[in-house]
Coordinates of all heavy atoms in Angstrom, one line a residue:
M141 N 67.2 96.0 57.6 CA 66.0 95.2 58.0 C 66.3 94.0 58.8 O 67.1 93.2 58.4 CB 65.3 94.8 56.7 CG 63.9 94.2 56.9 SD 63.4 93.3 55.4 CE 61.7 93.1 55.8
L142 N 65.6 93.9 59.9 CA 65.9 92.8 60.8 C 65.3 91.5 60.2 O 64.3 91.5 59.5 CB 65.3 93.0 62.2 CG 65.9 94.1 63.0 CD1 65.0 94.4 64.2 CD2 67.2 93.8 63.5
T143 N 66.0 90.4 60.5 CA 65.5 89.0 60.1 C 64.1 88.9 60.6 O 63.2 88.3 59.9 CB 66.4 88.0 60.6 OG1 67.7 88.4 60.5 CG2 66.1 86.6 60.0
E144 N 63.9 89.3 61.9 CA 62.6 89.2 62.5 C 61.5 89.9 61.7 O 60.4 89.4 61.5 CB 62.7 89.9 63.9 CG 61.7 89.8 64.9 CD 62.0 90.6 66.1 OE1 63.1 90.5 66.7 OE2 61.1 91.5 66.4
V145 N 61.8 91.1 61.1 CA 60.8 91.8 60.3 C 60.6 91.1 59.0 O 59.4 90.9 58.5 CB 61.3 93.3 60.0 CG1 60.4 94.0 59.1 CG2 61.6 94.0 61.3
F146 N 61.6 90.6 58.4 CA 61.6 89.8 57.2 C 60.6 88.6 57.4 O 59.7 88.3 56.6 CB 62.9 89.3 56.8 CG 62.9 88.4 55.6 CD1 62.9 88.9 54.3 CD2 62.9 87.0 55.7 CE1 62.9 88.1 53.2 CE2 62.8 86.2 54.6 CZ 62.8 86.7 53.4
E147 N 60.8 87.9 58.6 CA 60.0 86.8 59.0 C 58.5 87.1 59.0 O 57.6 86.4 58.5 CB 60.3 86.2 60.3 CG 61.5 85.3 60.4 CD 61.5 84.2 59.5 OE1 60.4 83.6 59.3 OE2 62.6 83.9 59.0
K148 N 58.2 88.3 59.6 CA 56.8 88.7 59.8 C 56.2 89.1 58.4 O 55.0 88.8 58.2 CB 56.8 90.0 60.7 CG 56.8 89.6 62.1 CD 56.7 90.9 63.0 CE 57.1 90.6 64.5 NZ 57.4 91.8 65.2
V149 N 57.0 89.7 57.6 CA 56.5 90.0 56.3 C 56.1 88.8 55.5 O 55.1 88.6 54.9 CB 57.4 90.9 55.5 CG1 57.0 91.2 54.1 CG2 57.6 92.3 56.2
W150 N 57.1 87.8 55.5 CA 56.9 86.5 54.8 C 55.7 85.8 55.4 O 54.8 85.3 54.6 CB 58.1 85.7 54.8 CG 58.0 84.4 54.1 CD1 57.8 83.2 54.7 CD2 57.9 84.2 52.7 NE1 57.6 82.2 53.7 CE2 57.7 82.9 52.5 CE3 58.0 85.0 51.6 CZ2 57.5 82.2 51.2 CZ3 57.8 84.4 50.3 CH2 57.7 83.1 50.1
Q151 N 55.5 85.8 56.7 CA 54.4 85.1 57.3 C 53.1 85.7 56.9 O 52.1 85.0 56.6 CB 54.5 85.1 58.9 CG 55.6 84.2 59.5 CD 55.4 82.8 59.2 OE1 54.3 82.3 59.1 NE2 56.6 82.2 58.8
R152 N 53.1 87.0 56.9 CA 51.8 87.7 56.5 C 51.4 87.4 55.1 O 50.3 87.2 54.8 CB 52.1 89.2 56.7 CG 50.8 90.1 56.4 CD 51.1 91.5 56.3 NE 52.0 91.7 55.1 CZ 52.9 92.7 54.9 NH1 52.9 93.7 55.9 NH2 53.6 92.8 53.9
S153 N 52.3 87.2 54.2 CA 52.1 87.0 52.8 C 51.5 85.6 52.6 O 50.8 85.3 51.6 CB 53.3 87.2 52.0 OG 54.2 86.0 52.1
G154 N 51.9 84.7 53.5 CA 51.4 83.3 53.4 C 52.1 82.6 52.2 O 51.5 81.7 51.6
G155 N 53.2 83.2 51.8 CA 53.9 82.6 50.6 C 53.3 82.9 49.3 O 53.4 82.2 48.3
K156 N 52.5 84.0 49.3 CA 51.8 84.5 48.1 C 52.1 85.9 47.8 O 52.3 86.7 48.7 CB 50.3 84.2 48.2 CG 50.0 82.7 48.1 CD 48.5 82.6 48.5 CE 48.1 81.1 48.6 NZ 46.8 80.9 49.2
C157 N 52.0 86.2 46.5 CA 52.2 87.6 46.1 C 51.1 88.5 46.7 O 50.0 88.2 46.6 CB 52.1 87.7 44.5 SG 52.3 89.4 43.9
E158 N 51.5 89.6 47.3 CA 50.6 90.5 48.0 C 50.2 91.6 47.1 O 49.5 92.5 47.6 CB 51.3 91.0 49.2 CG 51.6 89.9 50.3 CD 52.1 90.6 51.6 OE1 53.2 91.2 51.5 OE2 51.5 90.4 52.6
C159 N 50.6 91.7 45.9 CA 50.2 92.8 45.0 C 48.8 92.9 44.8 O 48.1 91.9 44.5 CB 51.0 92.6 43.7 SG 50.5 93.8 42.5
A160 N 48.2 94.1 44.9 CA 46.8 94.3 44.8 C 46.6 95.5 43.8 O 45.6 96.3 44.0 CB 46.2 94.5 46.1
R161 N 47.5 95.8 43.0 CA 47.4 97.0 42.1 C 46.3 96.7 41.0 O 46.3 95.8 40.3 CB 48.7 97.1 41.3 CG 49.9 97.3 42.2 CD 50.8 98.4 41.8 NE 51.7 98.7 42.9 CZ 52.5 99.8 43.0 NH1 52.5 100.6 42.0 NH2 53.2 99.9 44.0
P162 N 45.4 97.7 41.0 CA 44.2 97.6 40.1 C 44.8 97.5 38.6 O 44.2 96.8 37.7 CB 43.5 98.9 40.3 CG 43.9 99.3 41.6 CD 45.3 98.9 41.8
S163 N 45.9 98.2 38.3 CA 46.4 98.3 37.0 C 46.9 96.9 36.5 O 47.1 96.7 35.3 CB 47.5 99.3 36.8 OG 48.6 98.9 37.7
H164 N 47.1 95.9 37.4 CA 47.6 94.6 36.9 C 46.4 93.7 36.6 O 46.7 92.5 36.1 CB 48.4 94.0 38.1 CG 49.7 94.7 38.3 ND1 50.6 94.2 39.2 CD2 50.2 95.8 37.8 CE1 51.7 95.0 39.2 NE2 51.4 96.0 38.3
N165 N 45.2 94.1 36.8 CA 44.1 93.2 36.5 C 44.1 91.9 37.1 O 43.9 90.9 36.4 CB 43.9 93.2 34.9 CG 43.5 94.5 34.4 OD1 42.7 95.2 34.9 ND2 44.1 94.9 33.3
H166 N 44.4 91.7 38.4 CA 44.4 90.4 39.0 C 43.0 89.9 39.1 O 42.1 90.6 39.3 CB 45.0 90.5 40.4 CG 46.5 90.9 40.3 ND1 47.4 90.2 39.6 CD2 47.2 91.9 40.9 CE1 48.7 90.8 39.7 NE2 48.5 91.8 40.5
S167 N 42.9 88.5 38.9 CA 41.6 88.0 38.9 C 40.8 88.2 40.2 O 39.5 88.4 40.2 CB 41.6 86.5 38.7 OG 42.8 86.1 38.1
Y168 N 41.6 88.1 41.3 CA 40.9 88.4 42.6 C 41.5 89.8 43.1 O 42.1 90.5 42.3 CB 41.2 87.3 43.6 CG 40.7 86.0 43.1 CD1 41.5 85.1 42.5 CD2 39.3 85.7 43.2 CE1 41.0 83.9 41.9 CE2 38.8 84.5 42.7 CZ 39.6 83.6 42.1 OH 39.1 82.4 41.6
I169 N 41.3 90.1 44.3 CA 41.7 91.4 44.8 C 43.3 91.4 44.7 O 43.9 92.4 44.3 CB 41.2 91.7 46.2 CG1 39.6 91.8 46.1 CG2 41.8 93.0 46.8 CD1 38.9 91.6 47.3
K170 N 43.8 90.3 45.2 CA 45.3 90.2 45.1 C 45.8 89.2 44.1 O 45.1 88.4 43.6 CB 45.8 89.7 46.5 CG 45.8 90.7 47.6 CD 46.5 90.1 48.8 CE 46.5 91.1 50.0 NZ 47.0 90.5 51.2
C171 N 47.1 89.4 43.8 CA 47.7 88.5 42.7 C 47.7 87.0 43.2 O 47.3 86.1 42.5 CB 49.1 89.0 42.5 SG 50.1 87.9 41.4
N172 N 48.1 86.9 44.5 CA 48.1 85.5 45.2 C 48.9 84.5 44.5 O 48.7 83.3 44.8 CB 46.7 85.0 45.2 CG 46.0 85.6 46.5 OD1 46.7 86.0 47.5 ND2 44.7 85.5 46.6
K173 N 49.8 84.8 43.6 CA 50.7 83.8 43.0 C 51.5 83.2 44.1 O 52.1 83.8 45.0 CB 51.6 84.5 42.0 CG 52.3 83.4 41.1 CD 53.3 84.0 40.1 CE 52.6 84.2 38.8 NZ 53.5 84.9 37.8
K174 N 51.6 81.8 44.0 CA 52.4 81.0 45.0 C 53.9 81.2 44.8 O 54.3 81.1 43.7 CB 52.0 79.6 44.9 CG 51.6 79.0 46.3 CD 51.2 77.6 46.2 CE 51.3 77.0 47.6 NZ 52.6 77.1 48.2
L175 N 54.6 81.5 45.9 CA 56.0 81.8 45.8 C 56.8 80.8 46.7 O 56.2 80.3 47.6 CB 56.2 83.2 46.2 CG 55.4 84.3 45.5 CD1 55.5 85.6 46.2 CD2 55.8 84.4 44.1
V176 N 58.1 80.7 46.4 CA 58.9 79.8 47.1 C 59.9 80.7 47.9 O 60.6 81.6 47.3 CB 59.6 78.8 46.2 CG1 60.6 77.9 46.9 CG2 58.6 78.0 45.4
R177 N 60.0 80.6 49.2 CA 60.8 81.4 50.0 C 62.3 81.4 49.5 O 62.9 82.5 49.5 CB 60.7 80.9 51.4 CG 61.4 81.8 52.3 CD 61.4 81.2 53.7 NE 62.3 82.0 54.5 CZ 62.1 82.6 55.7 NH1 60.9 82.3 56.3 NH2 63.0 83.2 56.3
E178 N 62.9 80.3 49.2 CA 64.2 80.2 48.7 C 64.5 80.9 47.4 O 65.6 81.1 47.1 CB 64.7 78.8 48.6 CG 64.7 78.0 49.9 CD 63.4 77.7 50.6 OE1 62.5 77.5 49.8 OE2 63.3 77.7 51.8
M179 N 63.4 81.3 46.8 CA 63.6 81.9 45.4 C 63.6 83.4 45.4 O 63.4 84.0 44.4 CB 62.4 81.4 44.5 CG 62.5 79.9 44.2 SD 63.9 79.4 43.3 CE 63.5 80.0 41.7
Q180 N 63.9 84.0 46.5 CA 63.9 85.5 46.6 C 65.0 86.0 45.7 O 66.0 85.4 45.6 CB 64.2 85.9 48.0 CG 64.1 87.5 48.1 CD 64.4 88.0 49.5 OE1 64.9 87.3 50.4 NE2 64.2 89.2 49.7
D181 N 64.6 87.0 45.0 CA 65.5 87.7 43.9 C 65.9 86.8 42.8 O 66.9 87.0 42.1 CB 66.8 88.2 44.6 CG 66.5 89.3 45.7 OD1 65.6 90.0 45.4 OD2 67.3 89.3 46.6
K182 N 65.1 85.7 42.5 CA 65.4 84.9 41.4 C 64.3 84.9 40.4 O 63.2 84.7 40.7 CB 65.6 83.4 41.8 CG 66.8 83.3 42.7 CD 67.1 81.8 42.9 CE 68.4 81.7 43.8 NZ 68.1 81.4 45.3
P183 N 64.6 85.3 39.1 CA 63.6 85.5 38.1 C 63.2 84.1 37.5 O 63.3 83.9 36.3 CB 64.2 86.4 37.1 CG 65.7 86.1 37.2 CD 65.9 85.7 38.6
A184 N 62.6 83.2 38.3 CA 62.2 81.9 37.8 C 61.0 81.5 38.5 O 60.4 82.3 39.3 CB 63.3 80.9 38.1
L185 N 60.5 80.3 38.3 CA 59.2 79.8 38.9 C 59.3 79.9 40.4 O 60.2 79.4 41.0 CB 59.0 78.4 38.5 CG 57.6 77.9 38.8 CD1 56.5 78.5 37.9 CD2 57.5 76.3 38.6
G186 N 58.3 80.6 41.0 CA 58.3 80.8 42.4 C 59.2 82.0 42.9 O 59.2 82.2 44.1
G187 N 59.8 82.6 42.0 CA 60.6 83.8 42.3 C 59.9 85.0 42.8 O 58.7 85.2 42.4
W188 N 60.5 85.7 43.7 CA 59.8 86.9 44.2 C 60.8 88.0 44.6 O 62.0 87.7 44.7 CB 58.9 86.5 45.3 CG 59.7 85.9 46.5 CD1 60.1 84.6 46.6 CD2 60.0 86.5 47.7 NE1 60.7 84.3 47.7 CE2 60.7 85.4 48.5 CE3 59.8 87.8 48.2 CZ2 61.1 85.8 49.8 CZ3 60.3 88.0 49.6 CH2 61.0 87.0 50.3
K189 N 60.3 89.2 45.0 CA 61.1 90.3 45.4 C 60.4 90.9 46.6 O 59.1 90.9 46.7 CB 61.1 91.4 44.3 CG 61.9 91.0 43.1 CD 63.4 91.0 43.3 CE 64.0 92.4 43.2 NZ 65.5 92.4 43.4
L190 N 61.2 91.4 47.5 CA 60.7 92.1 48.6 C 60.5 93.6 48.2 O 61.5 94.3 47.9 CB 61.6 92.1 49.8 CG 61.1 92.6 51.1 CD1 60.0 91.6 51.6 CD2 62.2 92.7 52.1
Y191 N 59.3 94.0 48.1 CA 59.0 95.4 47.7 C 58.9 96.3 48.8 O 58.4 96.0 49.9 CB 57.6 95.4 46.9 CG 57.2 96.8 46.4 CD1 57.8 97.3 45.3 CD2 56.3 97.5 47.1 CE1 57.4 98.5 44.9 CE2 55.9 98.8 46.7 CZ 56.5 99.3 45.6 OH 56.1 100.5 45.1
Q192 N 59.5 97.5 48.7 CA 59.5 98.5 49.8 C 58.7 99.7 49.4 O 58.9 100.4 48.3 CB 61.0 98.9 50.1 CG 61.2 99.5 51.4 CD 62.7 99.8 51.6 OE1 63.6 99.0 51.2 NE2 62.9 100.9 52.3
H193 N 57.6 100.0 50.2 CA 56.7 101.0 49.9 C 57.3 102.5 50.0 O 57.0 103.3 49.3 CB 55.4 101.0 50.8 CG 54.6 99.7 50.5 ND1 53.9 99.5 49.3 CD2 54.3 98.6 51.3 CE1 53.3 98.4 49.4 NE2 53.6 97.8 50.6
F194 N 58.2 102.6 51.0 CA 58.8 103.9 51.2 C 60.3 103.8 51.1 O 60.9 102.7 51.2 CB 58.5 104.5 52.6 CG 57.2 104.0 53.1 CD1 57.0 103.2 54.2 CD2 56.0 104.6 52.5 CE1 55.8 102.8 54.7 CE2 54.7 104.2 53.1 CZ 54.7 103.3 54.1
A195 N 61.0 104.9 50.8 CA 62.4 104.9 50.7 C 63.1 104.3 52.0 O 64.1 103.6 51.9 CB 62.9 106.2 50.3
Y196 N 62.6 104.7 53.1 CA 63.2 104.3 54.4 C 62.2 103.4 55.1 O 61.5 103.9 56.0 CB 63.7 105.5 55.2 CG 64.7 106.3 54.4 CD1 64.3 107.5 53.7 CD2 66.0 105.9 54.3 CE1 65.2 108.3 53.0 CE2 66.9 106.7 53.6 CZ 66.5 107.8 52.9 OH 67.4 108.6 52.2
G197 N 62.1 102.2 54.8 CA 61.2 101.3 55.5 C 61.6 100.9 56.9 O 60.8 100.7 57.7
G198 N 62.9 100.9 57.1 CA 63.4 100.5 58.5 C 62.9 99.1 58.9 O 63.0 98.2 58.1
N199 N 62.4 99.1 60.1 CA 61.9 97.8 60.5 C 60.4 97.8 60.7 O 59.8 97.1 61.5 CB 62.5 97.5 61.9 CG 64.0 97.1 61.7 OD1 64.4 96.4 60.8 ND2 64.9 97.8 62.4
D200 N 59.7 98.6 60.0 CA 58.2 98.7 59.9 C 57.7 97.6 59.0 O 57.9 97.7 57.7 CB 57.8 100.1 59.5 CG 56.3 100.3 59.5 OD1 55.6 99.3 59.8 OD2 55.8 101.4 59.1
V201 N 57.0 96.7 59.5 CA 56.5 95.5 58.7 C 55.6 96.0 57.6 O 55.7 95.5 56.5 CB 55.7 94.5 59.6 CG1 55.1 93.4 58.9 CG2 56.7 94.0 60.6
S202 N 54.9 97.0 57.8 CA 53.9 97.5 56.8 C 54.6 98.3 55.7 O 53.9 98.6 54.6 CB 52.9 98.5 57.5 OG 53.5 99.6 58.0
A203 N 55.8 98.5 55.8 CA 56.6 99.2 54.7 C 57.0 98.2 53.6 O 57.5 98.7 52.6 CB 57.9 99.8 55.3
Y204 N 56.8 96.9 53.9 CA 57.3 95.9 52.9 C 56.1 95.0 52.3 O 55.1 94.9 53.0 CB 58.3 95.0 53.5 CG 59.5 95.8 54.0 CD1 59.6 96.1 55.4 CD2 60.5 96.1 53.2 CE1 60.6 96.9 55.9 CE2 61.6 96.8 53.6 CZ 61.7 97.2 55.0 OH 62.7 97.9 55.5
A205 N 56.3 94.6 51.2 CA 55.4 93.6 50.6 C 56.1 92.6 49.8 O 57.1 92.8 49.2 CB 54.4 94.3 49.8
V206 N 55.5 91.4 49.8 CA 56.1 90.3 49.0 C 55.4 90.3 47.6 O 54.2 90.2 47.5 CB 55.8 88.9 49.7 CG1 56.1 87.8 48.8 CG2 56.7 88.8 51.0
Y207 N 56.2 90.5 46.5 CA 55.6 90.5 45.2 C 56.3 89.5 44.3 O 57.5 89.3 44.4 CB 55.9 91.9 44.6 CG 55.0 93.1 45.0 CD1 54.0 92.8 46.0 CD2 55.1 94.3 44.4 CE1 53.2 93.9 46.4 CE2 54.2 95.3 44.8 CZ 53.3 95.1 45.8 OH 52.5 96.1 46.2
C208 N 55.5 88.9 43.5 CA 56.0 87.9 42.6 C 56.9 88.7 41.5 O 56.7 89.9 41.4 CB 55.0 87.1 41.8 SG 54.0 88.1 40.6
W209 N 57.7 88.0 40.9 CA 58.7 88.6 40.0 C 57.9 89.5 38.9 O 58.3 90.5 38.6 CB 59.6 87.6 39.3 CG 60.8 88.2 38.7 CD1 60.9 88.6 37.4 CD2 62.0 88.5 39.3 NE1 62.2 89.1 37.2 CE2 62.8 89.1 38.4 CE3 62.5 88.3 40.6 CZ2 64.1 89.5 38.7 CZ3 63.8 88.7 40.9 CH2 64.6 89.3 39.9
E210 N 56.9 88.9 38.4 CA 56.1 89.6 37.3 C 55.5 90.9 37.8 O 55.6 91.9 37.1 CB 55.0 88.6 36.9 CG 54.6 88.7 35.5 CD 53.5 87.7 35.1 OE1 53.8 86.6 35.5 OE2 52.5 88.1 34.6
C211 N 54.9 90.9 39.0 CA 54.3 92.1 39.5 C 55.4 93.2 39.8 O 55.3 94.3 39.4 CB 53.5 91.9 40.7 SG 52.0 91.0 40.4
Y212 N 56.5 92.7 40.4 CA 57.6 93.6 40.7 C 58.1 94.2 39.5 O 58.4 95.4 39.4 CB 58.7 92.8 41.4 CG 59.8 93.6 42.0 CD1 59.6 94.1 43.3 CD2 60.9 94.0 41.3 CE1 60.5 94.9 43.9 CE2 61.9 94.8 41.9 CZ 61.7 95.3 43.2 OH 62.7 96.1 43.8
R213 N 58.3 93.5 38.4 CA 58.9 94.0 37.2 C 57.9 95.1 36.6 O 58.3 96.1 36.1 CB 59.0 92.9 36.2 CG 60.1 93.1 35.2 CD 60.1 92.1 34.1 NE 58.7 92.0 33.5 CZ 58.2 90.9 33.0 NH1 58.9 89.8 32.9 NH2 57.0 90.9 32.5
K214 N 56.6 94.7 36.6 CA 55.6 95.7 36.1 C 55.7 97.0 36.8 O 55.6 98.1 36.2 CB 54.2 95.1 36.2 CG 53.8 94.2 35.1 CD 52.3 93.8 35.3 CE 51.9 92.6 34.5 NZ 50.6 92.1 34.9
I215 N 55.8 97.0 38.1 CA 55.8 98.2 38.9 C 57.1 99.0 38.6 O 57.0 100.2 38.5 CB 55.8 97.8 40.4 CG1 54.4 97.3 40.7 CG2 56.1 99.0 41.3 CD1 54.3 96.5 42.0
A216 N 58.2 98.3 38.4 CA 59.4 99.0 38.1 C 59.3 99.7 36.7 O 60.0 100.7 36.5 CB 60.6 97.9 38.0
E217 N 58.5 99.1 35.9 CA 58.3 99.8 34.6 C 57.3 101.0 34.5 O 57.4 101.7 33.5 CB 57.8 98.7 33.5 CG 58.9 97.8 33.0 CD 58.4 96.5 32.3 OE1 57.2 96.4 32.1 OE2 59.2 95.7 31.9
E218 N 56.5 101.1 35.5 CA 55.5 102.1 35.6 C 56.1 103.5 35.6 O 57.1 103.7 36.3 CB 54.6 101.9 36.8 CG 53.4 101.0 36.4 CD 52.6 100.6 37.7 OE1 52.8 101.1 38.8 OE2 51.8 99.6 37.5
Ligands
LIG608 ZN1 52.1 89.0 41.7
LIG609 ZN1 50.4 92.6 40.5

């Protein structure tokens, strides 16, 4: 994944969790939890993971999403 693609995904998220799974019962349409860029892959406050929708995302911006640690973990458990 190119840094450029990573930038676009992060910009699109606005630094917030993009998860919109109905099963998570988010108060609004999206989770919107505020995240800290430097906290990628860290299971702490502001931590988040880059979620990949398909096995081979390549450099397609739409193949990725920014998920907070909690949402990411829930999806992994599904
Ligand atoms: Zn979330
Ligand atoms: Zn969620």
Side-chain angles (χ1 to χ4, degrees):
M141 182 195 198
L142 292 170
T143 314
E144 194 183 302
V145 178
F146 177 86
E147 281 305 323
K148 280 184 192 159
V149 175
W150 179 255
Q151 286 304 317
R152 185 194 61 206
S153 77
K156 287 172 185 166
C157 177
E158 296 185 298
C159 173
R161 302 223 167 194
S163 60
H164 291 185
N165 293 318
H166 295 305
S167 341
Y168 299 98
I169 295 159
K170 280 188 188 177
C171 171
N172 274 339
K173 188 184 266 179
K174 232 180 160 304
L175 307 168
V176 179
R177 189 182 166 134
E178 291 70 33
M179 293 299 282
Q180 186 182 10
D181 295 329
K182 297 193 176 95
L185 191 69
W188 59 282
K189 292 284 280 182
L190 190 69
Y191 180 78
Q192 204 176 319
H193 294 293
F194 328 110
Y196 301 100
N199 292 310
D200 180 0
V201 176
S202 65
Y204 303 94
V206 169
Y207 281 7
C208 72
W209 196 268
E210 212 175 310
C211 287
Y212 191 87
R213 208 193 51 209
K214 273 189 200 167
I215 291 159
E217 281 167 4
E218 268 168 15

